[in-house]
Amino acid sequence: MPAGSSSKRERQYEHIKKGAQDRGESAGRAKEIAARTVDQEAAAERPRSLTLRLMEPEVDRIARPWGDRTPYGRGGVWPVRIDSYLEPGVTADAVERWVLTASLLHSNGDAMGRGRP
């Protein structure tokens, strides 16, 4: 259990862990099941507004519909964009041929890749 857990959560964790071990789960898997269950139940008991505040930074979508402005102004220096990932030990000079590609991820999870040889 994480440091600072209540004695109720500690007892609940031990009870769930013992039950999982009695069902034949390994010690590591039993600990994982117990921890996840206790975390889920603790999250369910928190007020929803607190959960949302913990998860998302507050942004006034009326005043700033697109969020905060970029720190890079017009005519200023922007960071260099890195468009490639090379395995450790491989240099850009060692690449025989670069291929321009793009992918589009749909809201249903399908992806479409487009490449130009």
Side-chain angles (χ1 to χ4, degrees), residues 97-109:
R97 182 172 140 241
W98 293 95
V99 178
L100 295 175
T101 61
S103 75
L104 174 68
L105 182 63
H106 299 270
S107 61
N108 65 358

Side-chain angles (χ1 to χ4, degrees), residues 1 9 13 18-19 24 29 33 35 38 41 51-52 60 63-64 73 81 84 91 93 96 100 104-105 109 112 114-115:
M1 283 299 304
R9 296 282 179 227
Y13 172 83
K18 183 179 180 315
R29 178 73 177 133
I33 291 169
V38 169
E41 291 186 10
T51 304
L52 291 176
D60 183 0
R64 295 179 179 267
R81 181 175 159 178
S84 61
T91 64
D93 297 332
E96 293 177 18
L100 295 175
L104 174 68
L105 182 63
M112 176 177 70
R114 301 294 295 171

Side-chain angles (χ1 to χ4, degrees), residues 26-102:
S26 68
R29 178 73 177 133
K31 286 180 183 179
E32 180 183 353
I33 291 169
R36 287 179 186 233
T37 304
V38 169
D39 286 346
Q40 282 180 340
E41 291 186 10
E45 290 175 7
R46 278 196 301 264
R48 179 133 172 88
S49 60
L50 175 62
T51 304
L52 291 176
R53 265 187 273 131
L54 293 174
M55 292 173 51
E56 298 176 6
E58 288 191 27
V59 176
D60 183 0
R61 292 296 176 195
I62 302 298
R64 295 179 179 267
W66 296 281
D68 292 332
R69 294 184 57 108
T70 178
Y72 309 104
R74 181 177 294 172
V77 179
W78 284 63
V80 176
R81 181 175 159 178
I82 300 173
D83 287 329
S84 61
Y85 171 79
L86 299 173
E87 293 291 326
V90 177
T91 64
D93 297 332
V95 176
E96 293 177 18
R97 182 172 140 241
W98 293 95
V99 178
L100 295 175
T101 61

